[in-house]
Structures are given as C-alpha cells and as structure tokens.
Amino acid sequence: MEVGKTTANDLGSLIKADLAALANDAGNLANSAVMAAAPVSGQALPAGFSFTQSMKDALAGVNAEDSAAAARMADVDSGKSDDLVGAMLASQQASLSFSMLMQVRNKVMGAVDDLLKLPI
C-alpha cells in the first residue's frame, strides 16, 4: 500500500472508531448534564435516564392530547357536549404540542446532520 492511500476497510474502521468515540463522549456529556441539571430542578433524574425514552414519552403525550382533543370535538359535533370553547382550546393545545415536538425533532436532526458533516 502506498503512503497517503487508505483502503475502504481502513476508512470504515476509522469511521467506526470515530463513531464509538462520539457515542462515548455523548454518553459522558449526557451524564454530566444530568448531574448538572439535577440540583437546578430540585429533583434527581433516574439512573436509567434515556433521551430516546424521553422522546417516546413526549410523542405519547402529544398523541394523547390529540386523541383527547379529537374526542372532545366529536362530542361537540354529535351533540353530547356543548363545550365548544373547551374543545377548541384542547385542539389548539394539541396543535401547539405537535408543533413543539416537530421543532425539537428538527433541531435534533440538524445536530445529527452537523455531526455527519464534521471532517474525519
């Protein structure tokens, strides 16, 4: 092999090593952020805190709000309820929650794209 040239396997192993180092650094950063955030909020986060689980919980919450708003609107439409204002407020709250979730998703995806664009 000539000096300055690498094979695809060498490049692949370098990328895997870099990804492993990034994952390790991200884990360390998450642990330090959890330790730093716990005294501010006054509550200790659980030992198994997971960003993935937090996102799943947020998604489930947004879905629940949307379902509740749809049920309230259906009750108003069918005449079971006359609380049109409450149904409209629930619908608006579900819409805002979904918008917020999409903004968080877009920020996370932007950060991942930025990480992928980093020079190796």
Side-chain angles (χ1 to χ4, degrees):
M1 179 165 63
E2 294 179 22
V3 175
K5 290 190 176 184
T6 59
T7 65
N9 290 338
D10 293 338
L11 188 57
S13 63
L14 288 173
I15 290 173
K16 286 180 183 178
D18 286 343
L19 286 174
L22 283 172
N24 188 26
D25 290 345
N28 291 340
L29 182 62
N31 289 338
S32 65
V34 166
M35 298 304 277
V40 173
S41 66
Q43 299 176 2
L45 292 173
F49 176 76
S50 167
F51 179 75
T52 304
Q53 189 60 44
S54 296
M55 288 301 292
K56 286 179 182 179
D57 293 344
L59 184 62
V62 169
N63 190 36
E65 284 184 6
D66 185 50
S67 297
R72 290 181 83 167
M73 288 299 272
D75 287 346
V76 169
D77 289 343
S78 66
K80 292 180 183 176
S81 173
D82 62 349
D83 186 18
L84 179 62
V85 173
M88 293 301 292
L89 287 174
S91 177
Q92 189 65 25
Q93 182 177 357
S95 175
L96 289 172
S97 295
F98 181 76
S99 295
M100 180 187 67
L101 183 66
M102 288 305 298
Q103 288 179 8
V104 169
R105 177 229 176 244
N106 291 341
K107 290 289 185 180
V108 169
M109 292 306 297
V112 168
D113 287 341
D114 288 345
L115 285 174
L116 291 175
K117 291 178 185 174
L118 288 175
I120 296 176

